[in-house]
Amino acid sequence: MIGLLRWLLLPISLLYGCVVWLRNFLYDRGIWHSKSYPVRSIVIGNLAVGGSGKTPMTECLIRWFNSDYKIATLSRGYGRKTKGFRYVQIDDSAIATGDEPLQFKRKFPQLTVAVCEDRRTGIETLLSEHNLILLDDAYQHRRVAASCNILLFEYASLLGPIIPLPTGNFRDILPQAKRAHIIVITKIPKDLSVHQRAAIIKRLRKHSDAPIYFASIAYGAPKALSRPNDMTTNSSLVELRDKHVLLVTGIANPTPLIDYVRQQAQSVRNIALPDHHVFTPTDYEQIQVSYTQLASQGDTILITTEKDVQRLSIHSLASIPCYYIPITFVFDEEDHIRQDVINTLARYSVNEP
């Protein structure tokens, strides 16, 4: 039924696509202007709505370059109730900063993490003290011209037609891949064949000459949350095969995680909520009821994602053993993509703080 309704909205998708095309045309022709800054910057973005792996890609960049640059991350802070520029602190709430910036700060406490809906204002505030700014989810923010654009595509999104919102899941048009310096195909299946890789590359080569890399997801051992929003505990649970799992997700595409946990655990019940969902008392009641039902079958735990940890109230789940599963990207050619980023940044002359 939902699929039918989305197809009925196809005329709106066509109109949306025309508006997006016109906006890009105005920037491409210089009628509307993108502003450059004397600081190295990397955009991490996608053309679709959510689920492509911008957060683990940003974390890869932090790990690769944290010892060589004075890094700041700058995000819009999606879902926050505050406005304007704000530095993110470890003890902030997702309501004040957004969940992904808060995750960055809690995983990398020494990192400067900031949110601002106007990326120009954010960069202008940060550039004097930093020499590399990571612009999370800013591919469509064309008012800023970054040093390096990294464009992500979730593998599954390239298997079908590229249709704009609301019928499809794309907020930008595929020809805009031409602006990417590097393209990463994420969440590839383990058994991806050479033929399938070639087909994806051929499709993108119609629009971009950028180097194309492939990355799969690696799941870490579940980490116990011994206190609210604790991202640093060393406690971990290695074995899931004798566990019943209540999997609570509020992310764009929980399917890969669901499949992974099902392969590991005795049984899984999933509560799938919308991306960036703000948990309500009703949600906590549903979680408690589902956990109690599942626990009647045997040893049961709750598992969630790193991003959801930022929004969950562990106090509200005090009677439930709660864990999160960290994820990272595994690149086929990590040294090559890292060097491509270095080479792209090196082309820009910048002021050093």
Side-chain angles (χ1 to χ4, degrees), residues 122-153:
I123 292 173
E124 289 162 4
T125 305
L126 294 167
L127 65 83
S128 64
E129 299 295 329
H130 304 86
N131 56 11
L132 178 59
I133 299 176
L134 306 181
L135 300 166
D136 179 39
D137 195 14
Y139 200 80
Q140 285 72 41
H141 198 89
R142 297 204 58 182
R143 294 179 67 237
V144 170
S147 312
C148 178
N149 291 325
I150 299 178
L151 179 59
L152 310 180
F153 288 95

Side-chain angles (χ1 to χ4, degrees), residues 168-306:
N169 293 321
F170 280 77
R171 53 180 168 172
D172 211 337
I173 54 179
L174 191 55
Q176 285 305 306
K178 66 185 179 183
R179 294 190 288 113
H181 296 95
I182 295 168
I183 294 175
V184 181
I185 312 302
T186 67
K187 303 182 181 179
I188 63 170
K190 292 182 179 179
D191 58 351
L192 187 66
S193 68
V194 173
H195 174 74
Q196 289 170 315
R197 288 173 186 258
I200 292 296
I201 293 172
K202 181 179 179 181
R203 184 173 194 181
L204 293 175
R205 278 288 170 258
K206 297 176 183 178
H207 306 285
S208 175
D209 294 326
I212 298 173
Y213 293 95
F214 291 82
S216 58
I217 290 177
Y219 294 101
K223 300 292 183 179
L225 292 170
S226 59
R227 57 183 183 273
N229 300 326
D230 180 2
M231 303 295 287
T232 60
T233 177
N234 291 321
S235 176
S236 65
L237 179 70
V238 178
E239 293 292 337
L240 288 178
R241 58 188 174 188
D242 61 340
K243 308 292 183 184
H244 299 280
V245 173
L246 177 61
L247 184 61
V248 179
T249 57
I251 56 177
N253 179 16
T255 302
L257 179 60
I258 295 171
D259 292 343
Y260 171 77
V261 176
R262 279 179 176 161
Q263 293 171 11
Q264 306 296 318
Q266 185 170 339
S267 70
V268 178
R269 179 180 298 183
N270 179 223
I271 297 178
L273 299 164
D275 197 16
H276 302 285
H277 179 75
V278 178
F279 291 90
T280 66
T282 301
D283 295 323
Y284 290 113
E285 290 176 8
Q286 180 190 4
I287 291 170
Q288 186 66 60
V289 169
S290 296
Y291 174 80
T292 300
Q293 293 173 346
L294 203 56
S296 67
Q297 303 176 25
D299 194 2
T300 302
I301 61 172
L302 181 150
I303 288 181
T304 190
T305 70
E306 287 183 277

Side-chain angles (χ1 to χ4, degrees), residues 80 82-89 92-93 96-97 113-116:
R80 68 185 176 119
T82 56
K83 298 292 183 182
F85 182 90
R86 179 187 179 99
Y87 286 106
V88 179
Q89 307 299 329
D92 272 331
S93 68
T97 66
V113 179
V115 292
C116 190

Side-chain angles (χ1 to χ4, degrees), residues 18-31:
C18 290
V19 171
V20 170
W21 177 89
L22 178 60
R23 177 178 181 270
N24 282 311
F25 175 82
L26 293 172
Y27 274 109
D28 292 342
R29 292 303 177 91
I31 299 170

